[in-house]
Amino acid sequence: MPMTTTATGDVLRDSLDAGSTLPADWYVDPAVLGAERERIFESTWQYVGRTDQLSRPGDYLNATVGSVPVVVARHPDGDLRGFVNICRHRCAEVVTAPGRRSVLQCHYHAWSYDLDGRLVSAPRSDREPDFDPARFSLLPVAVDTWEPFVFVNVGREPSPLGDYLGELPALMGRDGFDAASVTFRQHGEWKVAANWKVVVENFDECYHCPVAHPSFSRLMEVDPDGYRLEEGAWWSRAVTSLRPSALRPGAKVAYSPAGPLGRGQFGFVWPNFTIVQNPGPPNLMAFWFVPTGPEETEVVMDYWFAPDLDDDLVRAIIDFNVVVGREDQALVESVQRGLRSGRVPQGRLLVDSERLIQHFQRLVHQALAT
Ligand code: FES
Ligand SMILES: [Fe+2]
């Protein structure tokens, strides 16, 4: 693999085990991102959207997974179908925006595919004596859901989504995660000038919370004994509890956290999908960290709340997350500038408080250095 690294293979694995971070150049080098696209993003389950976008027969949405355009559609039989969104004619993307149709018609020369991916119409193809439409179906990709989250895997023979999620859904359910109690409310996108791994790593620790997130730290326990970390093969989770002082009358908190959820929890599914549940009224947020360049990440955000939740409270919770997000953006962009200089080839984790980063970096290493 065309990588310039300070340490490779077993040497690097040993250094990760000892608490060192991944080499700084893995966060800057375009060749590393190219390898990640192929070995990570194009062989894992990637979040592409929500089930409410695909509720009726013929509803479809498009997304890009690694470098692969994909389309997911609700078939009239009720199941979701996923396809590579590349026309079998001359490789245009078939659809370029979400919609609802019984056939997917390419915007270039109008080749049309049914929701099983079969080519059902290709204008002027009757003038071609040996044209066999059966040879030009859309290529299928795996699609699966977890609650309102739709995932696609463009890899060959992918393991089931459930294998990646492991115990995470049950553990989150035990702490109040209940997708049936919320409905979709808002979508957003946010660009940050940092490698996607810096963004994931920042999500995976709250060592920085007392220093960098005053509003978050007034609301939730952030000390190491109150902020529990857990991990499985392909997932990790942090759980914390609402600070009792946040419920006192006159408490200086970003929103009123009264409600059925007494805990905050922060789930991560390898490689770049995260779920946040804040304490208080029923709420759910999904963040998808998509690399748009070696040093740029798009954060795709979806928010769900209890359907009857007051708009002002919804706004206050979203604003709370925006404040925390801006604080995080300043941190990760600062890290990126440090990594880009290359002057510190590897950092040193605190493997107690930053254990989940070590877990993540081992998975990155496993994917790239074999
Ligand atoms: S590229 Fe799709 S119809 Fe020509
Ligand atoms: Fe943070």
Side-chain angles (χ1 to χ4, degrees), residues 57-127:
D59 280 346
Y60 62 85
L61 59 82
N62 62 310
T64 304
V65 169
S67 58
V68 182
V70 298
V71 55
V72 179
R74 177 72 65 184
H75 193 277
D77 71 9
D79 287 341
L80 293 178
R81 300 279 203 282
F83 303 103
V84 174
N85 181 26
I86 300 176
C87 185
R88 297 298 305 274
H89 176 218
R90 280 185 27 233
C91 298
E93 293 154 302
V94 178
V95 299
T96 54
R100 187 179 330 128
R101 296 282 296 270
S102 56
V103 294
L104 304 176
Q105 184 179 82
C106 181
H107 64 127
Y108 200 169
H109 312 92
W111 284 29
S112 298
Y113 304 86
D114 69 15
L115 298 181
D116 288 305
R118 287 183 296 239
L119 180 63
V120 292
S121 160
R124 305 187 200 176
S125 60
D126 53 345
R127 298 162 71 100

Side-chain angles (χ1 to χ4, degrees), residues 6 24-25 337-347:
T6 49
D25 54 3
R337 290 190 291 274
L339 291 166
R340 189 186 306 141
S341 78
R343 290 304 177 102
V344 175
Q346 282 178 276

Side-chain angles (χ1 to χ4, degrees), residues 269-329:
V269 182
W270 166 258
N272 60 336
F273 180 67
T274 62
I275 314 156
V276 170
Q277 174 194 286
N278 290 304
N283 71 91
L284 172 63
M285 283 141 222
F287 301 114
W288 186 35
F289 304 134
V290 185
T292 47
E295 300 191 71
E296 185 183 77
T297 302
E298 183 162 68
V299 181
V300 178
M301 304 170 287
D302 284 320
Y303 294 91
W304 291 257
F305 293 93
D308 56 354
L309 202 61
D310 178 75
D311 282 346
D312 289 344
L313 185 50
V314 166
R315 174 54 41 208
I317 296 174
I318 290 176
D319 287 350
F320 165 71
N321 282 278
V322 168
V323 167
V324 173
R326 287 215 183 96
E327 291 160 353
D328 281 327
Q329 179 172 12

Side-chain angles (χ1 to χ4, degrees), residues 105-366:
Q105 184 179 82
C106 181
H107 64 127
Y108 200 169
H109 312 92
W111 284 29
S112 298
Y113 304 86
D114 69 15
L115 298 181
D116 288 305
R118 287 183 296 239
L119 180 63
V120 292
S121 160
R124 305 187 200 176
S125 60
D126 53 345
R127 298 162 71 100
E128 304 286 313
D130 57 350
F131 189 87
D132 177 9
R135 293 179 50 214
F136 304 111
S137 296
L138 293 178
L139 304 173
V141 295
V143 53
D144 206 346
T145 60
W146 169 34
E147 297 293 0
F149 316 122
V150 180
F151 295 87
V152 159
N153 191 321
V154 301
R156 292 183 221 293
E157 299 177 16
S159 302
L161 174 64
D163 290 0
Y164 282 86
L165 300 176
E167 303 85 4
L168 182 64
L171 289 169
M172 291 197 72
R174 206 174 295 164
D175 287 314
F177 172 75
D178 175 16
S181 67
V182 291
T183 55
F184 173 71
R185 194 70 82 101
Q186 187 167 314
H187 174 86
E189 290 163 14
W190 189 337
K191 281 236 167 109
V192 298
N195 181 272
W196 71 277
K197 298 188 292 298
V198 178
V199 180
V200 170
E201 290 161 9
N202 179 69
F203 181 90
D204 273 348
E205 56 95 354
C206 205
Y207 182 28
H208 69 277
C209 296
V211 186
H213 294 316
S215 61
F216 184 97
S217 304
R218 275 195 293 275
L219 200 63
M220 290 176 248
E221 301 290 354
V222 294
D223 67 72
D225 297 323
Y227 195 90
R228 199 170 73 241
L229 308 177
E230 301 167 338
E231 71 268 43
W234 303 104
W235 59 270
S236 61
R237 180 176 79 129
V239 194
T240 184
S241 48
L242 179 65
R243 293 179 68 148
S245 57
L247 283 170
R248 283 197 201 117
K252 286 198 164 111
V253 285
Y255 68 91
S256 167
L261 301 177
R263 294 187 184 283
Q265 48 177 339
F266 308 88
F268 166 75
V269 182
W270 166 258
N272 60 336
F273 180 67
T274 62
I275 314 156
V276 170
Q277 174 194 286
N278 290 304
N283 71 91
L284 172 63
M285 283 141 222
F287 301 114
W288 186 35
F289 304 134
V290 185
T292 47
E295 300 191 71
E296 185 183 77
T297 302
E298 183 162 68
V299 181
V300 178
M301 304 170 287
D302 284 320
Y303 294 91
W304 291 257
F305 293 93
D308 56 354
L309 202 61
D310 178 75
D311 282 346
D312 289 344
L313 185 50
V314 166
R315 174 54 41 208
I317 296 174
I318 290 176
D319 287 350
F320 165 71
N321 282 278
V322 168
V323 167
V324 173
R326 287 215 183 96
E327 291 160 353
D328 281 327
Q329 179 172 12
L331 299 173
V332 298
E333 292 184 349
S334 170
V335 169
Q336 188 66 35
R337 290 190 291 274
L339 291 166
R340 189 186 306 141
S341 78
R343 290 304 177 102
V344 175
Q346 282 178 276
R348 169 61 156 88
L349 297 175
L350 296 194
V351 290
D352 178 34
S353 289
E354 297 174 300
R355 195 173 85 225
L356 302 189
I357 295 181
Q358 190 179 43
H359 172 260
F360 169 72
Q361 296 196 345
R362 284 171 172 153
L363 292 177
V364 173
H365 174 258
Q366 184 180 309

